[in-house]
Amino acid sequence: MTNTQKLLLTGIAAATLGAAGVFLATIALITADEDRPPIIVKGGGSLIIDSGTTGSPGKPWKKAADGTEQYYPDHDRGKSVVAFQLYFVGGTVGQGPCLPTRVENFTVKFDHDDDASTPPKMYTFNIQPDSALGSHKGKQVPVISGPDLTSVSGTNSLTAGEHLKGTLTSVTVSSFQCDRPLQVWAESVGQ
């Protein structure tokens, strides 16, 4: 075999290995878990829980297979979740603003009728294995539970009732309570 033939065969082998590497890298990217979009909680009449924003499109909400009042984002390739990073729009803790915090669960109190004689409704946000909800992807997912939750058809939103005077009363985490926030952003922290 001549040197030219050896160089040609070496070049073909290198090009084949390079193409195989690019193919495998592309497959790895296609099948990799994706970041989950933020969950945005707001009042202003009804309680509204959105999955995603304009810049980070959300996923539709799926009700737990066991029929309980639990919902989770239908995101097959979403990363497994270990915590929530919370950001507050408005709200106070004592005399100061509500500061960002990282938590594994939190509770939202929603005053659904602007009547001090009735207790606010409570909504819990936590992390559960998807197998407990009827899915079997082997991941930890963000879960929301509480009364009167309804998935809004054609959107990535959940609501709790159609009330004209409903407002967020508070958001409680393990270390503090944020009173009267306008919105809460919960970003899922993945593994």
Side-chain angles (χ1 to χ4, degrees), residues 64-94:
D66 64 4
T68 59
E69 291 298 313
Q70 297 184 94
Y71 286 83
Y72 61 100
D74 190 8
H75 193 174
D76 286 344
R77 290 185 28 223
K79 287 183 180 178
S80 195
V81 178
V82 296
F84 296 108
Q85 179 66 42
L86 298 184
Y87 300 94
F88 301 92
V89 176
T92 58
V93 174

Side-chain angles (χ1 to χ4, degrees), residues 2 22 31 33-34 53 68 76 85 96 102 105 109 145-146 171:
T2 67
V22 168
T31 60
D33 287 343
E34 302 170 335
T53 63
T68 59
D76 286 344
Q85 179 66 42
R102 184 175 168 157
N105 57 64
K109 289 182 184 175
S145 58
V171 175

Side-chain angles (χ1 to χ4, degrees), residues 37 40 80 88 97 121-122 131 142 157:
I40 301 139
S80 195
F88 301 92
K121 293 186 177 186
M122 301 197 15
S131 59
S157 296

Side-chain angles (χ1 to χ4, degrees), residues 167-181:
T167 57
L168 291 180
T169 303
S170 65
V171 175
T172 305
V173 299
S174 59
S175 57
F176 68 91
Q177 177 173 300
C178 177
D179 293 317
R180 299 274 179 196

Side-chain angles (χ1 to χ4, degrees), residues 154-165:
T155 71
N156 296 325
S157 296
L158 289 173
T159 63
E162 294 293 327
H163 307 289
L164 299 176
K165 297 181 180 181

